[in-house]
Amino acid sequence: MRIKYTIPIVFIVALVIIEKENNIISRVSDKLTLKQTPQTPLQPSGFSHILLKRNGSFSSLSKMDSAFTLMKRRLENYSQHQEVVTRGRKHILLLATTRTGSSFVGEFFNQQGDNMFYLFEPLWHVEKMLTLETGGTNATAAAKAYREVLQQLLLCDFTLLENFIDPVPVDHITTSLFRRESSSSLCEESVCSPVIKGVFERYRCRTRRCGPLNLTMASESCLQKGHRAIKSVRVRQLENLRPLTEDPRLDVKFIQLVRDPRAVLASRMVAFAAKYKNWKQWAMDGDVPIDDDEVRKLKGNCDNIRMSAEIGLRQPTWLRKRYMLVRYEDIARFPMKKATEMYRFTGIPFTPQVKSWILKNTQASKETSGVYSTQKNSSEQVEKWRFSLPFKIAQVVQKVCGPTLKLFGYKFVSSEEMLTDKSISLIEEKVFNLL
Ligand SMILES: *[C@@H]1O[C@H](CO)[C@@H](O)[C@H](O)[C@H]1NC(C)=O
Ligand SMILES: *[C@@H]1O[C@H](CO)[C@@H](O)[C@H](O)[C@H]1NC(C)=O
Ligand SMILES: *[C@@H]1O[C@H](CO)[C@@H](O)[C@H](O)[C@H]1NC(C)=O
Ligand SMILES: *[C@@H]1O[C@H](CO)[C@@H](O)[C@H](O)[C@H]1NC(C)=O
Ligand SMILES: CC(=O)N[C@H]1CO[C@H](CO)[C@@H](O)[C@@H]1O
């Protein structure tokens, strides 16, 4: 009989303590979220210790356990809530394929300033590891790994990524992060550990000399930033990232960057000469075996890009206000205008730093000067591929990527003359997003 009475009392006492702890947690929550790092996640273990101390009786332990679990859940709920509501924090994913100008567009975010944490191609490590281990054939497994790593990284957690870095970081220290210097966030003062003399020369940052990358420091810095952005050329299907939109800790904005597949192929034949040697041979022969694996691969890439865009443009509920399609050709011709639109879409301030970077790196200063703007000049740059890609090859791309060209507003060419006629633009003016 005694136990029957004491247990409810103990339970109430425990709950009162939980309420009290919750209040304390609320008050210090700002500090807690700021200090939280992936390596030392917010753990309420300290509070269970307090609970036990307040009532040393072991007969109440199971009740304590359930009360403790409840408290833990509330704590988790609270910190998730905190992440979204009090910050207005945006999580940007710039999704593209190779040779679409994604490094350039990534700079729009890399240059934003001190309040942005930007990562350049972190999935490079994941792809490399999966290719080594499985031959890179299991698209399902790859998609899952990509998604989970992106999700963690957007939350400033490098733990999962670390498993894919070769060699695996020791104490979260690595000299092997792919293109560290392309993320100004990883070269900031606060993420710059002292140089070790004579070693790691190639891991130096552009702006200052730094030693090996301490991912704990990177994570701490990331948690302090208002916004986070990641650029990747490795996500095949937008739909695979749907769970990210359902994570209450994230406010994800997808920007899909596309480019004329004929121009992409022309550019890849130059940039990845060895990999594209078949295409070069076919270009010389003037004959393409249409059922070749390479051609099938091209079709697969085009289909993936198109299907992602179709989902995005359809604006299903899960993507509402989260998707924007941008053509490389529009950015090349109107960089300032497009950057402004992208920033408006993300809801992040378009800072003077970004503007001046764009001015310095493009001819955007003349963009608004009317009839004599650089548009014509830039169009010529953008359509340079038309003079390097043989008509035969262009025809093959049109054949296997037809629906993709159509969707994005790239005009078909019907003859060699049309392909190389400068007076005919192959870019239809097209508005994809009502902003
Ligand atoms: C945590 O949040 C979920 C959904 O937001 C809710 O169902 C659950 O009751 C909450 N748990 C606690 C302990 O507050
Ligand atoms: C591919 O990966 C998924 C998920 O990891 C797994 O369930 C499936 O068995 C794999 N398929 C093959 C063919 O290895
Ligand atoms: C890495 O950074 C963390 C956090 O600043 C620090 O505690 C740790 O000692 C650093 N590791 C090394 C090896 O310097
Ligand atoms: C395009 O602009 C650049 C830089 O202003 C200039 O050097 C180049 O001659 C122009 N090209 C043409 C075809 O007008
Ligand atoms: C301080 C306090 O509440 N102590 C209680 C702890 O639990 C035992 C038995 O469960 C009670 O007898 C104590 O009064």
Side-chain angles (χ1 to χ4, degrees):
M1 283 308 275
R2 272 186 84 163
I3 286 172
K4 234 180 174 176
Y5 280 108
T6 35
I7 288 175
I9 292 167
V10 168
F11 189 39
I12 290 163
V13 167
L15 280 177
V16 166
I17 293 167
I18 290 161
E19 281 307 323
K20 225 174 149 186
E21 299 297 349
N22 258 353
N23 287 338
I24 296 167
I25 290 156
S26 305
R27 265 181 272 120
V28 299
S29 58
D30 262 343
K31 272 187 202 155
L32 278 176
T33 11
L34 286 178
K35 287 205 175 131
Q36 176 190 1
T37 74
Q39 284 76 34
T40 52
L42 190 56
Q43 286 289 349
S45 53
F47 298 114
S48 83
H49 162 73
I50 293 168
L51 285 176
L52 284 174
K53 219 163 140 190
R54 299 247 173 122
N55 192 323
S57 164
F58 286 105
S59 65
S60 61
L61 214 55
S62 70
K63 288 288 180 191
M64 290 291 188
D65 258 2
S66 62
F68 170 64
T69 307
L70 178 67
M71 188 180 90
K72 196 171 144 185
R73 246 187 270 130
R74 281 194 188 173
L75 256 174
E76 282 163 0
N77 272 13
Y78 188 83
S79 56
Q80 288 184 359
H81 184 71
Q82 177 84 357
E83 179 89 11
V84 174
V85 178
T86 62
R87 291 292 180 131
R89 174 173 284 143
K90 307 293 181 204
H91 305 81
I92 299 156
L93 284 173
L94 176 60
L95 305 173
T97 52
T98 55
R99 312 312 290 178
T100 57
S102 64
S103 302
F104 179 78
V105 179
E107 286 300 310
F108 290 5
F109 296 103
N110 192 34
Q111 300 292 333
Q112 204 262 355
D114 294 341
N115 208 22
M116 170 67 76
F117 193 83
Y118 172 78
L119 290 175
F120 178 98
E121 294 298 337
L123 298 183
W124 181 89
H125 294 283
V126 182
E127 181 183 54
K128 187 152 180 258
M129 183 73 74
L130 292 178
T131 308
L132 283 178
E133 282 185 354
T134 67
T137 46
N138 193 334
T140 316
K144 184 166 179 281
Y146 290 157
R147 175 178 65 237
E148 287 174 357
V149 170
L150 286 176
Q151 186 167 15
Q152 277 203 355
L153 289 175
L154 288 173
L155 293 165
C156 303
D157 186 340
F158 288 85
T159 321
L160 194 51
L161 180 65
E162 284 191 28
N163 294 313
F164 291 98
I165 299 176
D166 181 31
V168 177
V170 177
D171 294 335
H172 315 295
I173 309 282
T174 182
T175 57
S176 307
L177 193 84
F178 179 63
R179 298 272 300 262
R180 169 191 185 177
E181 73 282 359
S182 296
S183 306
S184 34
S185 314
L186 297 180
C187 287
E188 278 182 357
E189 187 87 56
S190 65
V191 186
C192 185
S193 48
V195 177
I196 298 172
K197 217 178 160 221
V199 221
F200 315 127
E201 286 298 306
R202 70 198 171 94
Y203 301 104
R204 245 190 258 156
C205 288
R206 287 196 198 115
T207 43
R208 51 174 61 86
R209 297 192 62 199
C210 299
L213 179 62
N214 181 334
L215 290 168
T216 308
M217 280 158 83
S219 167
E220 283 169 357
S221 171
C222 173
L223 285 164
Q224 310 277 349
K225 307 283 185 187
H227 308 291
R228 294 157 197 168
I230 299 176
K231 148 181 136 67
S232 179
V233 294
R234 292 178 166 78
V235 174
R236 297 280 158 262
Q237 293 274 348
L238 181 59
E239 182 124 47
N240 291 336
L241 299 182
R242 180 171 176 166
L244 271 58
T245 65
E246 289 154 2
D247 185 333
R249 297 167 296 178
L250 299 176
D251 187 0
V252 188
K253 303 277 183 184
F254 301 104
I255 298 176
Q256 186 181 1
L257 176 64
V258 299
R259 183 183 183 187
D260 188 326
R262 293 166 299 191
V264 171
L265 180 60
S267 174
R268 286 182 185 166
M269 283 166 68
V270 175
F272 313 131
K275 223 171 136 190
Y276 279 78
K277 64 176 192 304
N278 286 350
W279 285 100
K280 294 184 105 169
Q281 189 59 49
W282 298 331
M284 282 194 295
D285 298 350
D287 191 30
V288 183
I290 201 82
D291 56 350
D292 191 275
D293 263 358
E294 293 287 326
V295 181
R296 261 197 291 272
K297 220 157 65 188
L298 173 69
K299 178 173 167 25
N301 290 341
C302 278
D303 288 344
N304 278 332
I305 294 164
R306 179 179 46 82
M307 288 190 293
S308 293
E310 280 170 350
I311 290 171
L313 294 173
R314 219 184 295 138
Q315 298 273 303
T317 315
W318 65 275
L319 271 179
R320 200 146 293 157
K321 295 188 174 167
R322 295 199 186 285
Y323 176 83
M324 180 181 190
L325 179 72
V326 186
R327 293 188 303 187
Y328 164 84
E329 292 81 2
D330 293 327
I331 289 174
R333 293 181 301 163
F334 316 108
M336 199 63 86
K337 177 170 170 269
K338 296 312 285 185
T340 309
E341 285 175 17
M342 284 160 68
Y343 268 95
R344 200 185 309 141
F345 160 73
T346 59
I348 293 174
F350 187 30
T351 58
Q353 291 102 294
V354 186
K355 279 180 201 157
S356 77
W357 187 89
I358 293 173
L359 284 175
K360 221 179 292 165
N361 290 277
T362 67
Q363 302 167 27
S365 50
K366 298 179 210 151
E367 196 177 316
T368 52
S369 60
V371 206
Y372 301 107
S373 73
T374 56
Q375 187 191 336
K376 198 171 168 216
N377 188 310
S378 295
S379 305
E380 279 169 16
Q381 292 303 310
V382 160
E383 301 198 83
K384 241 172 37 187
W385 64 269
R386 295 169 63 179
F387 303 95
S388 68
L389 195 74
F391 176 61
K392 269 267 193 242
I393 303 277
Q395 269 185 312
V396 170
V397 181
Q398 291 177 174
K399 184 163 181 184
V400 299
C401 298
T404 310
L405 270 84
K406 224 182 229 148
L407 176 64
F408 298 142
Y410 300 125
K411 283 182 221 155
F412 286 56
V413 293
S414 49
S415 65
E416 174 115 39
E417 290 68 43
M418 183 181 176
L419 175 64
T420 52
D421 184 348
K422 284 188 194 178
S423 70
I424 305 171
S425 169
L426 298 185
I427 307 160
E428 280 168 25
E429 299 312 322
K430 209 163 172 170
V431 177
F432 296 100
N433 297 80
L434 300 170
L435 293 165

